[in-house]
Amino acid sequence: MLRHTLVTSLCAAALLAACSNGGMTEPSTIAPTVATVAVPTTTMAVVTSTSTTSTTAVPAGTTSPPSTEVPTVTLSPDGPWTRVDSAPGITTAGLVYELMPKLWVYLPTEIDLEHGITWTFNETDRPVIEAYLQAQRTYFEAGTTGVLDDDVWNQFYDSADRADDLMKVRLARGEHIEMESGVVLRPTVLGEDRSDMTAIVFDCTLDGSIYLTVGGDLADGSVWGVVETGRGFRLVRQDDRWLVVRTGTQPEACL
């Protein structure tokens, strides 16, 4: 899984379109047109999400040992998440939080080229990540409870995003999200098209969630098991808060 931090021709990301999540993803709405930068076979200058952050050169083919130091950047302590020791499928160094039962997020804290990690959680991107996590938690709460509260939803999603429309269609049919196999979010904030007002998040999610029908059958668009699902999210800053304005499938998030 490639943790994208540098892309070219990112204007294609403006084509992000509404979709459902992970194991319940609809047919792809985002053409894989975002070119990624190939990792050299010797060394790579790792560029973080802002131009003001210094670069770090890491020899290719090596893996940094897990750090024993307490991370200097963490999620806000008053947020709706709890720091935990691990999540399913996570073996590399980083922070892990539980957002709700069976929903986790993994935030890498060390560059690890062998495992495709070229972005690490940092203070500059923290507000974007927290807004993204709030949006994801809201999505899964609505899908599992069968109740989509517009007032709560609109705190984290802009009206331009239409993911709520797709959710409402499913809920109207009596479908709901089942998360028995768990969901692990693995977001990355891209370096391109990043400013004080805009950001794009790619997420190669370990997604074990499914939609079930009223009768308990697998709903259209869902598959059994845990699958890697690539998604893209465009966020903008409005009135000192970040909102998701466009969502969509993005296969390149899992390259």
Side-chain angles (χ1 to χ4, degrees):
M1 172 189 59
L2 177 62
R3 294 292 183 187
H4 297 281
T5 56
L6 207 97
V7 296
T8 58
S9 302
L10 200 59
C11 59
L15 300 177
L16 291 172
C19 70
S20 55
N21 288 53
M24 67 295 265
T25 302
E26 307 291 350
S28 178
T29 56
I30 304 176
T33 55
V34 182
T36 59
V37 173
V39 179
T41 57
T42 54
T43 60
M44 174 185 177
V46 179
V47 183
T48 55
S49 58
T50 64
S51 59
T52 58
T53 305
S54 61
T55 61
T56 304
V58 181
T62 62
T63 303
S64 300
S67 173
T68 57
E69 297 181 358
V70 178
T72 57
V73 181
T74 61
L75 293 180
S76 299
D78 57 348
W81 34 66
T82 302
R83 178 88 177 271
V84 294
D85 293 332
S86 63
I90 299 302
T91 59
T92 49
L95 298 169
V96 179
Y97 290 84
E98 185 180 54
L99 308 181
M100 58 182 281
K102 299 293 184 177
L103 177 63
W104 297 272
V105 61
Y106 164 68
L107 301 170
T109 56
E110 295 182 10
I111 297 298
D112 187 344
L113 297 185
E114 181 178 349
H115 295 94
I117 298 175
T118 58
W119 173 88
T120 57
F121 186 49
N122 59 83
E123 181 60 30
T124 301
D125 290 332
R126 181 183 57 78
V128 173
I129 289 294
E130 291 187 348
Y132 167 72
L133 297 180
Q134 291 273 23
Q136 287 299 291
R137 184 174 181 271
T138 299
Y139 180 96
F140 281 102
E141 282 192 328
T144 54
T145 63
V147 178
L148 194 160
D149 187 323
D150 287 326
D151 290 337
V152 175
W153 187 277
N154 293 336
Q155 293 180 39
F156 309 110
Y157 291 89
D158 184 79
S159 58
D161 181 77
R162 308 313 304 170
D164 56 334
D165 290 342
L166 295 174
M167 168 77 75
K168 288 176 180 178
V169 169
R170 286 191 177 274
L171 297 183
R173 294 199 297 250
E175 297 175 4
H176 70 280
I177 294 176
E178 169 60 53
M179 300 180 65
E180 184 61 31
S181 296
V183 175
V184 182
L185 306 173
R186 299 184 295 178
T188 293
V189 179
L190 299 190
E192 289 292 322
D193 206 27
R194 179 71 170 95
S195 71
D196 291 340
M197 303 300 294
T198 62
I200 291 177
V201 173
F202 274 10
D203 194 325
C204 183
T205 304
L206 296 176
D207 196 344
S209 66
I210 54 175
Y211 268 105
L212 295 179
T213 66
V214 175
D217 298 320
L218 194 66
D220 291 341
S222 292
V223 296
W224 296 111
V226 178
V227 295
E228 282 193 339
T229 303
R231 299 170 299 160
F233 302 81
R234 180 178 288 277
L235 292 87
V236 299
R237 188 176 179 183
Q238 300 179 10
D239 300 326
D240 294 325
R241 61 174 177 158
W242 289 88
L243 296 176
V244 175
V245 297
R246 200 73 63 84
T247 65
T249 58
Q250 179 48 269
E252 293 199 7
C254 291
L255 291 180

